[in-house]
Amino acid sequence: MSSRPRSHHVKPVPKPYQIHHLATVDSTNTHLRGMVDAPEWTCVTADRQTAGRGRQDRQWHSAAGEGLYLSILLRPVAGTPELPLLSLTAAVAVAETLGAAGVAGVDIKWPNDLLVDERKICGILIESVGYGAAAPRRVIVGIGVNLNQTDFPAPIAETATSCRLAMGRMVDHDTFRDALLERFHAWYDCWRCGGTATILARWQALSSYAVGRQVAVDVGGELLTGETAGLDARGALLLRLPDGEQRVVMAGEVNRLRSI
Ligand code: BTN
């Protein structure tokens, strides 16, 4: 389904966030990488990024004062579920926050692109730092939300949208940021405590891409076309090929997923 997300009850939580706001930064994710010994829930935001990064080495358009450019430092302990599931968890939190802010028709394209009318409104970049036997694991969750843009530069003019374009009114940056952090905190707890089934169910309820969607997926150079058939327990996308074979597509292998 691609209809507006149903509102999801979120318990108020004590605010653990420590927000470092910068006027200009290369990338909030890159900046936070230099602060990995900071407490969990340390966040970096910026008015603008000069080298905002997206997945697959793409750039993230980061015009001054128009978007939310947010990176969050997390320290998941050993034994927590896999990172692909955290990426779906973040997408659920953003989808719900957009819906609660009044954006109608929010959809999630697997694994974690947020769309409205098939145009991208938010992207999520999750990076692991110091992941190894010797170092405690840190994870940086980078979230870029198009809030108040009224237009976009040529390469993405036809494929991007913003809350303002979707709703016809402005969104307050700090209000949106706080609402998102609160919702993500609640969903992160769900992830941390093994609420895999809850996360998968919520993601599938919020995504028109979950089941029965004809898609083309570039899996490490191999172009697969087929119909989506839900997610497995790790958050991988199940794809039914025309010959009936079912393939399990992990986020890490996908270069591009598009509807056909
Ligand atoms: C994507 O869809 O490709 C992911 C985009 C992620 C963009 C955000 S903006 C805040 C954070 N800092 C970055 O450099 N990237 C992420």
Side-chain angles (χ1 to χ4, degrees):
M1 57 149 246
S2 64
S3 59
R4 177 190 166 140
R6 290 174 301 235
S7 93
H8 183 85
H9 181 67
V10 177
K11 277 197 218 142
V13 287
K15 288 198 173 58
Y17 330 115
Q18 196 52 262
I19 295 170
H20 298 255
H21 184 77
L22 304 161
T24 300
V25 70
D26 50 358
S27 147
T28 54
N29 265 34
T30 307
H31 192 85
L32 196 50
R33 269 178 175 268
M35 301 169 66
V36 286
D37 292 325
E40 190 169 48
W41 292 101
T42 296
C43 301
V44 173
T45 55
D47 290 338
R48 79 188 255 266
Q49 300 183 114
T50 54
R53 295 187 284 113
R55 287 185 287 127
Q56 286 135 30
D57 292 329
R58 286 192 294 251
Q59 292 179 347
W60 185 256
H61 172 68
S62 308
E66 296 189 341
L68 173 64
Y69 316 115
L70 167 68
S71 297
I72 307 162
L73 180 67
L74 299 171
R75 297 164 172 261
V77 294
T80 45
E82 297 296 313
L83 281 189
L85 262 175
L86 179 59
S87 134
L88 303 184
T89 306
V92 163
V94 180
E96 289 188 348
T97 308
L98 287 165
V103 180
V106 178
D107 196 7
I108 311 176
K109 187 174 81 164
W110 188 85
N112 60 14
D113 282 343
L114 278 295
L115 308 178
V116 172
D117 293 332
E118 296 295 324
R119 286 171 175 249
K120 191 148 162 173
I121 196 163
C122 166
I124 299 170
L125 176 67
I126 298 194
E127 299 180 305
S128 245
V129 188
Y131 182 49
R137 180 189 194 184
R138 278 97 164 189
V139 173
I140 292 172
V141 178
I143 304 177
V145 185
N146 298 332
L147 295 179
N148 291 316
Q149 289 89 341
T150 50
D151 49 31
F152 292 89
I156 56 169
E158 304 303 321
T159 56
T161 191
S162 69
C163 296
R164 183 172 177 181
L165 287 168
M167 290 196 293
R169 62 180 160 82
M170 304 271 288
V171 171
D172 181 69
H173 173 281
D174 291 2
T175 306
F176 190 92
R177 177 202 63 201
D178 291 350
L180 173 55
L181 283 171
E182 189 154 316
R183 227 165 250 269
F184 181 53
H185 191 278
W187 276 109
Y188 181 73
D189 270 350
C190 181
W191 176 78
R192 211 171 43 84
C193 299
T196 301
T198 308
I199 292 161
L200 292 174
R202 187 69 181 135
W203 189 96
Q204 295 190 80
L206 290 164
S207 172
S208 75
Y209 280 82
V211 176
R213 190 80 187 250
Q214 293 296 325
V215 294
V217 194
D218 181 344
V219 181
E222 183 191 6
L223 191 68
L224 297 177
T225 56
E227 187 177 299
T228 59
L231 304 178
D232 76 3
R234 295 166 304 166
L237 181 69
L238 302 175
L239 188 68
R240 196 166 297 124
L241 305 186
D243 65 2
E245 186 198 343
Q246 186 159 284
R247 293 280 289 259
V248 179
V249 181
M250 289 303 295
E253 306 167 332
V254 171
N255 293 327
R256 193 167 147 77
L257 178 143
R258 60 187 165 80
S259 59
I260 50 175

